[in-house]
Amino acid sequence: MKTQLKKDEKIILTTRPHWFSMILPAAITIAGFIAGLYIGDFGIILMLILICYMLYKIAERNNNIWVVTSLRVIDEIGVFSHDSKESPLDKINNVSYSQSFWGKIFGYGDIQIQTAAEVGSTSYHNVSQPKLLKDTITQMQEEYKHDQIKRQATELANAIAFEKEKNKNDLVSELEKLHELKQKGILTEEEYLNQKAKILNSQS
């Protein structure tokens, strides 16, 4: 994968087009090789072209990937160029998949992802193990939501603890000032005790 991962982001699943997508290029290459055997010198050139074509199709399949991470779904494609599309887990509204008769037998199908973004929905065709991809996205969405709730709860707890600590420090500071006033004779013992009781009651 060429896309750089974010901090603490982990790759959960990587998949690509099913090997069925290579049947047509392979058939063309084989047919071309057979034809090349009967057309003389041009046949060698044809074979070289077909070899380059097949290598390109293999590279194209290897570089056409769908990656599910702990934060997003990444769609990458491109051999000599690089195109990438991302769908954040919290923006995905629905994930569905469909398989034809042969797709069920050989394990490939189509995936559709609906997001809250302007694009709306994205379809991926001839995906290897489409159900696994769909289930993985759904599972990571649930884990992402759980982590978000946990993080918010932690932040709230930290904020409450900070406020309590701040109030405690303020209380100690007020009592110290009150004690200094008593020591300097500005407050009588009775006034000191009354003010101290008021401060303590205000914090209870």
Side-chain angles (χ1 to χ4, degrees):
M1 187 178 74
K2 298 176 182 178
T3 301
Q4 186 175 0
L5 293 178
K6 299 178 181 179
K7 183 180 179 182
D8 298 328
E9 184 177 16
K10 298 178 182 178
I11 295 176
I12 309 301
L13 175 69
T14 300
T15 189
R16 51 179 44 86
H18 194 267
W19 59 265
F20 250 45
S21 62
M22 298 301 297
I23 289 180
L24 181 58
I28 293 173
T29 301
I30 293 172
F33 260 72
I34 294 173
L37 296 175
Y38 297 97
I39 56 178
D41 294 338
F42 180 73
I44 297 176
I45 298 175
L46 177 61
M47 290 178 185
L48 291 175
I49 293 174
L50 289 171
I51 290 174
C52 293
Y53 166 74
M54 193 64 192
L55 290 175
Y56 174 81
K57 297 304 290 185
I58 292 173
E60 184 181 51
R61 177 177 178 268
N62 289 336
N63 285 278
N64 186 6
I65 59 174
W66 301 285
V67 181
V68 182
T69 75
S70 53
L71 299 177
R72 51 188 168 161
V73 179
I74 302 171
D75 174 17
E76 284 189 358
I77 190 172
V79 178
F80 302 113
S81 62
H82 176 234
D83 294 321
S84 177
K85 179 182 178 182
E86 302 176 9
S87 300
L89 292 174
D90 58 339
K91 300 295 184 183
I92 296 176
N93 294 330
N94 184 56
V95 184
S96 60
Y97 78 99
S98 60
Q99 289 179 287
S100 64
F101 173 77
W102 293 110
K104 289 182 179 180
I105 294 176
F106 292 101
Y108 68 90
D110 299 336
I111 286 278
Q112 186 176 60
I113 298 178
Q114 294 181 337
T115 67
E118 295 181 359
V119 178
S121 65
T122 303
S123 296
Y124 304 140
H125 302 287
N126 298 322
V127 179
S128 180
Q129 297 180 301
K131 185 178 185 302
L132 176 61
L133 177 58
K134 181 255 184 188
D135 290 345
T136 302
I137 293 174
T138 302
Q139 178 186 349
M140 294 316 302
Q141 278 188 291
E142 293 175 356
E143 292 187 14
Y144 179 82
K145 290 178 182 177
H146 176 75
D147 289 342
Q148 289 292 98
I149 293 173
K150 185 177 179 181
R151 181 181 62 80
Q152 291 172 0
T154 301
E155 290 178 353
L156 180 60
N158 290 338
I160 293 174
F162 175 79
E163 190 64 27
K164 286 184 177 180
E165 186 65 24
K166 181 176 177 295
N167 291 339
K168 179 181 177 182
N169 292 336
D170 291 344
L171 175 63
V172 172
S173 178
E174 288 187 44
L175 291 175
E176 287 177 348
K177 290 178 181 179
L178 195 65
H179 184 70
E180 288 179 6
L181 293 175
K182 177 193 170 188
Q183 292 292 94
K184 293 177 180 179
I186 298 176
L187 294 177
T188 64
E189 179 68 25
E190 184 179 356
E191 290 173 331
Y192 167 74
L193 293 175
N194 288 335
Q195 291 294 328
K196 180 180 179 181
K198 287 182 180 179
I199 293 173
L200 293 174
N201 288 335
S202 67
Q203 297 295 324
S204 61

